[in-house]
Amino acid sequence: MTSSKKTVWHKVLDNKKELPEGRVKTVTADHKGICLTHFEGKFSALDNRCPHQGGPLGEGSIENGMLRCPWHGWDFHPCTGLPPGGYDDGIETFEVKEEDNAIYVGVEEEDAHEATVSDIMAETMVNWGVTKVFGMVGHSNLGFADAMKRQEEKGNLNFYGIRHEGAAAFAASAYGKLTGKPAACFSIAGPGATNMYTGMWDAKVDRAPLLALTGQVATQVVGTGNFQEVDLVRGFSTVAEFNQRVQSDSKHAELMSLAVKSAILKRDVSHLTFPDEVQERLAKPNEKAQTPDKRITAMEIAPPKEAVNDAVELIKKSKRPVIVMGHGARAHKKAIVEFAERLNATVVTTFKGKGLIADNHRLGGGVLGRSGTPIASWFMNESDLLLVFGASFSNHTGITPKKPIIQVDFDPMALSKFHKVEVAVWGEISRTLEIFEEELNGNINTLDQTPEIAERWKIWKEEKAKRLLETSNNGISSIAVFETMNKLTPENAVMCVDVGNNAYSFGRYFEPTNQDFLMSGYLGSIGFALPAAIGAWTAVGDSRPVVAVAGDGGLCQYLAEITTLVKYNMPVKLIVLNNHELGKISKEQRAGEFDVWKTSLSNPNFAEFAQSCGAWGKRVENQDDLESSMKALYNEKGPAVLEVLTDVNLI
């Protein structure tokens, strides 16, 4: 039967000399893969897929007058595509013509694209606000990748190809922490998916919404030990609150809607895995993408009246209240600071909540806990009431149970998690504060702690100045690095911090003004800073500077992502403290009365590595050069790396 479709000619070789006699080559005509052969003076075009297992014939060779498949050695005639021996599994051929020494192949015009299951789900994902995806395209996720490509071409989505799937998950986690909205990480089946596991856990334990999308082997070979087969639904059952395999008969738009809705409302991880054959299946005729319209509730939940009454009575009696802000209070920092100003209450933060109030605010008391300052702990110990908003009561922070506590949180399971508190208030923080203020109605009898705050800051700054004088021949002190950052870092920067001594020093010595801070809080995963900066930049674009601070140990885990910065021209500024050691681990070994063992590091020259990737890079070896070099870093328009050789003992 003759086809009524028009033949479209595609140039596949600019010059026929590109394919010598007796050779074969893979070319593409529109989306069609073609095996182009040059045999006995004739150019021929055959379907590139071997009928056996789809082997790429264009990567084969002509042997003894036959085209041999590179996978399993099946033979076909190089011109006719017919197999020897009279078999009926020949290869489709296409017209070829030569014009001006160029070679053209004629293929039928393509049918208009019909919506697939992946198209419906990708469009639904975008409708729900998931417009940033970090990942790696591979053989078991090509159908969904193709659907995302169409969304990107429409301007609805941005896909960022990273160098390691772990970086993709960290980037998505950081995006969720900064914005409160989910981004997606994307991988193939098997090892690509398992690479994302750590970043998924980072999002989960820090209560950041995240959508993980994974390819999967074809359903018919699940359970047979097929290549790259991992039971991802079972494997991700502990990390993903919503965790489903997409099936041919699934309600596809509804499944994606529930996945994103779960991530948003529960501030947790959702995971969908797509078997290979489902991704390209045509959508049902009336299947439409969904939107969040009338599908998601407002979250301004008012607290129970009894809890409000108890809390208000405690506040009325308090003379020296202290407010503790955790990362969970990020979206409500303005309301909390305004409430603190009415109470004249000192405000301290957890390390994860660093920067929610500026250190130079008259009520700012800095960071509480192991990564903090003596100021915060002094005011906590002198208080008569602690008001804790969105904090988890981790050991790292060390909120004392010896003081009366009012705890406010949107998650009832977070309330009184480790010990009893005087008043546990379940409600959305801003709404709760509105009710507190209505009920207090001017009945506030607190002392003005402002003079004490100023005095404690004076004492701490004098101590920092003394530490700044400590120098050695082994490198620059971390104190000097962060003091220089205090002078030069833009006030509206988003700052991504790694794990290790660099993070402890950052928490202790960097004085925030109006910056936002992202870190791997509860998981404490080394390597977070650089991938997180990628996620942060996709959230703020060029409207705000993005700065990453890392140690040499953490940076090396995802060092190749500097090429991602360059590829997408992300103007991230990366400061790496290079002391050739896993310094925090050495410190812990000494504290545990162990020998220091296996913590030394052999590092590249990070500045030169950055330059080799196409970024700006500079190394600082002398403290006198630190300020000018950091100015140069911040003045760079593109991605830039400042490497500072530091003394592991001056932290």
Side-chain angles (χ1 to χ4, degrees):
M1 183 176 178
T2 304
S3 173
S4 60
K5 291 183 180 179
K6 182 175 70 173
T7 296
V8 180
W9 291 93
H10 301 270
K11 185 192 287 188
V12 295
L13 290 182
D14 289 325
N15 191 310
K16 64 182 182 181
K17 292 181 180 179
E18 295 174 32
L19 187 63
E21 168 71 32
R23 300 295 300 277
V24 301
K25 181 178 184 177
T26 297
V27 296
T28 302
D30 207 347
H31 290 100
K32 184 70 178 174
I34 300 291
C35 171
L36 190 68
T37 67
H38 188 182
F39 181 65
E40 295 182 345
K42 179 182 179 182
F43 286 90
S44 302
L46 297 78
D47 191 324
N48 198 44
R49 291 175 57 86
C50 176
H52 179 218
Q53 287 189 4
L57 295 174
E59 296 176 19
S61 58
I62 296 175
E63 300 178 27
N64 300 320
M66 299 299 289
L67 170 62
R68 176 154 292 177
C69 175
W71 282 8
H72 302 100
W74 285 37
D75 286 338
F76 307 91
H77 191 276
C79 301
T80 67
L82 296 174
Y87 294 103
D88 60 358
D89 56 351
I91 308 167
E92 182 182 5
T93 61
F94 304 91
E95 294 181 77
V96 175
K97 68 179 181 180
E98 178 183 335
E99 290 183 1
D100 299 326
N101 278 331
I103 300 297
Y104 294 79
V105 173
V107 297
E108 290 183 347
E109 63 180 338
E110 290 187 351
D111 293 329
H113 175 74
E114 295 184 64
T116 64
V117 165
S118 293
D119 285 313
I120 296 296
M121 298 189 76
E123 185 178 349
T124 299
M125 176 182 78
V126 165
N127 289 345
W128 275 82
V130 181
T131 61
K132 311 296 181 186
V133 183
F134 311 92
M136 190 174 291
V137 176
H139 69 276
S140 57
N141 64 22
L142 297 179
F144 197 83
D146 199 48
M148 288 195 292
K149 180 201 71 142
R150 281 184 281 279
Q151 289 298 321
E152 188 169 61
E153 288 173 345
K154 294 176 182 177
N156 298 334
L157 176 144
N158 300 109
F159 184 91
Y160 301 94
I162 42 68
R163 307 307 294 268
H164 189 281
E165 295 89 349
F170 275 138
S173 176
Y175 183 95
K177 291 175 186 181
L178 182 62
T179 67
K181 302 173 183 177
C185 50
F186 180 66
S187 78
I188 64 166
T194 57
N195 280 346
M196 297 197 304
Y197 195 65
T198 302
M200 292 167 67
W201 267 106
D202 179 73
K204 184 179 185 69
V205 297
D206 281 353
R207 306 305 302 267
L210 180 146
L211 177 63
L213 305 169
T214 61
Q216 182 56 288
V217 300
T219 302
Q220 69 179 32
V221 294
V222 169
T224 66
N226 193 68
F227 177 66
Q228 292 193 334
E229 181 204 345
V230 172
D231 187 341
L232 294 175
V233 172
R234 186 177 178 188
F236 287 169
S237 61
T238 55
V239 69
E241 175 69 19
F242 187 95
N243 184 28
Q244 298 288 333
R245 182 174 68 188
V246 182
Q247 300 179 158
S248 296
D249 59 351
S250 296
K251 294 182 178 179
H252 301 110
E254 179 67 9
L255 191 58
M256 180 60 81
S257 294
L258 290 175
V260 182
K261 182 177 180 178
S262 177
I264 294 171
L265 294 183
K266 296 183 178 180
R267 303 186 195 179
D268 213 319
V269 174
S270 290
H271 168 238
L272 293 173
T273 189
F274 296 78
D276 205 21
E277 83 285 357
V278 175
Q279 297 175 47
E280 297 180 70
R281 185 178 292 273
L282 293 180
K284 296 171 185 175
N286 297 320
E287 198 167 8
K288 302 292 183 184
Q290 289 189 11
T291 75
D293 184 45
K294 308 297 184 186
R295 293 295 306 275
I296 195 163
T297 181
M299 297 299 289
E300 288 79 25
I301 302 169
K305 187 169 182 57
E306 182 180 355
V308 169
N309 292 339
D310 291 344
V312 167
E313 287 306 308
L314 275 181
I315 296 170
K316 286 179 179 178
K317 295 175 184 176
S318 175
K319 297 292 185 184
R320 296 180 58 87
V322 167
I323 289 175
V324 182
M325 274 201 285
H327 177 77
R330 176 179 296 275
H332 312 280
K333 62 182 181 181
K334 182 179 178 182
I336 295 172
V337 172
E338 289 175 352
F339 185 64
E341 289 169 345
R342 292 182 180 88
L343 292 181
N344 274 319
T346 306
V347 181
V348 303
T349 74
T350 65
F351 188 25
K352 283 168 60 180
K354 184 177 175 69
L356 294 182
I357 186 169
D359 279 4
N360 59 13
H361 188 283
R362 66 181 181 88
L363 296 174
V367 171
L368 180 64
R370 300 178 194 175
S371 303
T373 67
I375 304 167
S377 57
W378 192 89
F379 279 99
M380 178 180 70
N381 294 331
E382 294 295 317
S383 70
D384 62 6
L385 175 66
L386 299 178
L387 291 94
V388 182
F389 296 96
S392 60
F393 286 76
S394 73
N395 288 334
H396 189 102
T397 303
I399 299 172
T400 179
K402 296 180 180 180
K403 301 288 183 178
I405 294 173
I406 298 171
Q407 183 187 3
V408 182
D409 206 287
F410 87 102
D411 181 2
M413 291 301 294
L415 296 169
S416 305
K417 185 175 182 179
F418 299 117
H419 55 78
K420 291 192 299 183
V421 300
E422 275 62 31
V423 185
V425 183
W426 177 39
E428 190 260 355
I429 292 173
S430 292
R431 182 72 184 108
T432 300
L433 288 174
E434 289 175 1
I435 295 172
F436 280 0
E437 293 192 5
E438 290 169 5
E439 295 295 322
L440 285 167
N441 194 26
N443 291 317
I444 296 171
N445 301 295
T446 56
L447 300 174
D448 184 1
Q449 301 177 55
T450 306
E452 291 178 77
I453 295 171
E455 178 61 24
R456 301 313 300 183
W457 272 109
K458 181 174 179 291
I459 294 170
W460 172 236
K461 290 194 174 190
E462 288 172 353
E463 173 62 24
K464 285 208 301 181
K466 292 176 185 176
R467 296 183 187 186
L468 193 58
L469 298 175
E470 298 173 1
T471 59
S472 80
N473 294 323
N474 297 322
I476 300 167
S477 71
S478 297
I479 304 100
V481 175
F482 293 112
E483 187 63 24
T484 306
M485 290 182 67
N486 285 334
K487 297 177 185 176
L488 300 176
T489 303
E491 287 197 358
N492 65 335
V494 180
M495 307 193 72
C496 304
V497 190
D498 219 308
V499 170
N501 278 344
N502 63 92
Y504 281 93
S505 295
F506 179 89
R508 196 169 290 127
Y509 300 116
F510 186 79
E511 299 174 5
T513 48
N514 194 35
Q515 296 94 353
D516 281 308
F517 299 88
L518 302 175
M519 61 191 69
S520 179
Y522 249 114
L523 192 64
S525 181
I526 193 170
F528 176 80
L530 177 54
I534 292 172
W537 181 83
T538 66
V540 302
D542 293 335
S543 66
R544 299 177 64 184
V546 177
V547 180
V549 178
D552 47 353
L555 179 59
C556 278
Q557 296 217 346
Y558 294 104
L559 186 59
E561 298 305 333
I562 292 175
T563 64
T564 305
L565 301 182
V566 172
K567 178 178 180 180
Y568 294 101
N569 195 28
M570 299 177 178
V572 169
K573 305 301 180 278
L574 170 62
I575 299 171
V576 53
L577 281 64
N578 180 4
N579 55 32
H580 293 90
E581 188 172 336
L582 294 172
K584 180 174 179 290
I585 307 305
S586 299
K587 184 178 177 182
E588 290 175 350
Q589 287 175 331
R590 293 188 190 97
E593 300 182 356
F594 299 102
D595 291 332
V596 173
W597 189 65
K598 299 294 184 182
T599 58
S600 63
L601 300 173
S602 177
N603 291 328
N605 182 308
F606 291 108
E608 291 181 355
F609 181 87
Q611 292 167 13
S612 73
C613 294
W616 180 92
K618 187 170 185 179
R619 172 182 269 200
V620 180
E621 300 182 14
N622 300 305
Q623 188 165 326
D624 291 343
D625 299 327
L626 185 57
E627 187 166 332
S628 62
S629 299
M630 196 172 291
K631 282 182 180 176
L633 171 83
Y634 286 136
N635 286 333
E636 276 296 312
K637 295 190 181 302
V641 176
L642 183 66
E643 175 186 8
V644 185
L645 299 186
T646 56
D647 186 331
V648 71
N649 295 310
L650 296 180
I651 59 172

